[in-house]
Amino acid sequence: MRGKFASFAEDEHRARLAKARRLLREQGIDHCISVAPESLYYYGGYDSWVSVNSPQALIFSADEGEPTIVLRDTDVSLAHESSWIKDVRAYRLMFDDIPGTFAAVAREKGLRGGKVAVEIQSYAIPHSLGLALAQALAPAQIVDATVLLGMPRLIKSPAEMAYLSQAAAYAQAGLDAARRTLRPGITEIALAGAIENAMRTAGSDYWAIPTELAGGERSAGGHATPRERIIEAGDIVHAEFAGVAARYHATAIHTMAAGEPSRRARAVYEVGRASLAAGIAAIRPGAEVGDIEEASLEPVRTAGLEHAAVMRFGYGLGVAYPPIWLEPLQISRGPNQVMQEGMVFVLHAYLQLADEQLGIIQGGTYALTGQGVEMLIGGGDVELEVI
């Protein structure tokens, strides 16, 4: 049973772990208690969503010793079927001291003081657990490793790209279903159901964020989830959803119209389309993320709609568990990051006109390859699709 459902070879995981250890040593950190489920999967191969209610940890030192997974006893078999790691320890929820267990394993690996890396920005370590863990680890000091452990995930290996291509195919099934199903008279929930059913039927794993879908008077809601609202003739409808293969997400983003829309809706869509195209044109290896977003905003400023551009232009995408699918790459003004070949990311032009009850979002998932920017899935830079 051990490793029967592993997504990657052990050698790939060990190479990733070696990179993480090198980053730890460069920061003067001797030990790591990784709690984020995406890290447990990326480095340890352990595939489980349950960090949201049952703390889990991948514990290792910056030297070459073997790592340990600590998890709830209910989930031991999940580690055996997916992870290459041999040392799997279990605790009993409601009875055992979980922070104390994590700390005891770290001390087995030589922890006495110094710094311990933990992803303190992860939802998997709520404030109460963080406080208890800090107390259990004292006099060692917890330092934030959210970015340190997340950044290696930004450059995808050939094996990861294969999963992303598969995920994109699942999302394409959802996009095709949206085109077949959208019509006046259907509810937003029914449309989302057709999208999700098509992706699951095609073979998709579960996604980390609910399907986002809204139309007509609700279209200004950028993160709106579908309701029992009936789609009307001429409604602008936008959707954002992901196909998933081996926890790798590929997100489709597309705006369509259920019949001929208003002239205003068409005009706003064209501004968004121009914004998307301008941002894509600025992407190349070495490009600064702030410059890319600035380029995407030029058509928006020209149209006098900069106030409506309230969403970052893009973000990294790959391994994900609920409740988010974002990686540390932020394609936005502010972060000091540059684009590199091998990155995969979501790009979206979003314009929100709340006072007009109108919003459009257009984009998808892209990869920066040796051939340039390649769209894996999404609506992309196309004329408004009227169904």
Side-chain angles (χ1 to χ4, degrees):
M1 184 65 172
R2 185 174 291 277
K4 181 177 181 179
F5 295 98
S7 299
F8 297 94
E10 180 177 332
D11 287 349
E12 181 153 351
H13 285 297
R14 285 192 177 274
R16 297 170 181 175
L17 189 61
K19 182 179 292 186
R21 283 172 158 155
R22 183 171 66 252
L23 293 172
L24 290 173
R25 292 194 297 269
E26 290 174 356
Q27 297 297 317
I29 302 170
D30 294 324
H31 293 84
C32 180
I33 300 177
S34 175
V35 296
E38 57 270 20
S39 292
L40 271 67
Y41 178 80
Y42 184 76
Y43 295 107
Y46 173 48
D47 181 11
S48 170
W49 66 270
V50 300
S51 295
V52 69
N53 61 15
S54 301
Q56 305 177 121
L58 173 64
I59 303 174
F60 58 95
S61 62
D63 61 23
E64 299 305 313
E66 290 295 297
T68 298
I69 290 177
V70 180
L71 43 67
R72 185 179 171 186
D73 50 8
T74 306
D75 302 311
V76 168
S77 64
L78 300 181
H80 289 166
E81 73 180 20
S82 61
S83 178
W84 60 275
I85 294 173
K86 306 299 187 294
D87 186 11
V88 178
R89 316 272 186 98
Y91 65 82
R92 175 60 59 89
L93 189 67
M94 310 302 294
F95 291 92
D96 292 334
D97 175 6
I98 299 170
T101 301
F102 290 177
V105 173
R107 292 193 175 96
E108 284 181 25
K109 299 181 185 301
L111 176 69
R112 296 296 178 267
K115 299 177 180 178
V116 182
V118 181
E119 301 106 321
I120 62 174
Q121 297 178 53
S122 174
Y123 73 89
I125 185 162
H127 187 61
S128 58
L129 177 60
L131 290 176
L133 184 59
Q135 184 175 14
L137 290 169
Q141 174 191 1
I142 290 177
V143 295
D144 186 16
T146 309
V147 174
L148 184 149
L149 292 176
M151 291 301 286
R153 304 202 314 269
L154 299 186
I155 307 299
K156 304 301 190 285
S157 70
E160 290 177 289
M161 285 303 304
Y163 284 130
L164 282 158
S165 295
Q166 188 176 1
Y170 298 149
Q172 184 64 58
L175 193 53
D176 292 343
R179 292 185 171 112
R180 291 192 305 268
T181 309
L182 176 61
R183 66 180 184 276
I186 193 174
T187 66
E188 293 173 354
I189 284 181
L191 179 58
I195 292 169
E196 294 174 356
N197 179 66
M199 291 194 294
R200 275 299 208 177
T201 300
S204 178
D205 199 355
Y206 67 94
W207 32 91
I209 295 177
T211 296
E212 296 175 355
L213 188 153
E217 63 188 353
R218 299 189 66 236
S219 63
H223 292 141
T225 52
R227 297 190 182 277
E228 283 287 354
R229 177 189 173 274
I230 296 174
I231 294 170
E232 300 176 357
D235 276 358
I236 286 285
V237 179
H238 57 74
E240 181 174 349
F241 51 88
V244 186
R247 301 314 313 151
Y248 284 80
H249 286 56
T251 302
I253 297 173
H254 195 35
T255 292
M256 298 182 288
E260 184 59 33
S262 68
R263 291 176 62 185
R264 177 60 167 167
R266 275 193 173 276
V268 172
Y269 177 88
E270 284 302 316
V271 175
R273 178 187 175 190
S275 172
L276 179 65
I280 292 172
I283 297 175
R284 59 188 176 279
E288 295 185 4
V289 292
D291 292 340
I292 295 168
E293 183 167 78
E294 284 289 348
S296 77
L297 290 172
E298 282 305 311
V300 179
R301 291 185 178 121
T302 299
L305 291 176
E306 185 174 6
H307 67 283
V310 294
M311 201 178 279
R312 71 170 78 80
F313 185 61
Y315 55 82
L317 186 68
V319 177
Y321 288 87
I324 58 172
W325 62 43
L326 284 72
E327 289 192 332
L329 174 65
Q330 300 292 324
I331 305 176
S332 177
R333 293 161 294 176
N336 182 25
Q337 294 178 291
V338 298
M339 302 300 294
Q340 299 178 60
E341 187 174 322
M343 286 180 167
V344 174
F345 39 88
V346 166
L347 300 176
H348 45 29
Y350 174 66
L351 297 174
Q352 179 189 75
L353 297 166
D355 56 341
E356 299 181 42
Q357 297 183 316
L358 173 62
I360 69 97
I361 180 170
Q362 191 67 3
T365 298
Y366 299 78
L368 183 53
T369 72
Q371 288 70 49
V373 180
E374 173 189 351
M375 188 172 77
L376 302 182
I377 182 62
D381 174 17
V382 296
E383 292 184 2
L384 179 62
E385 192 168 355
V386 179
I387 305 297

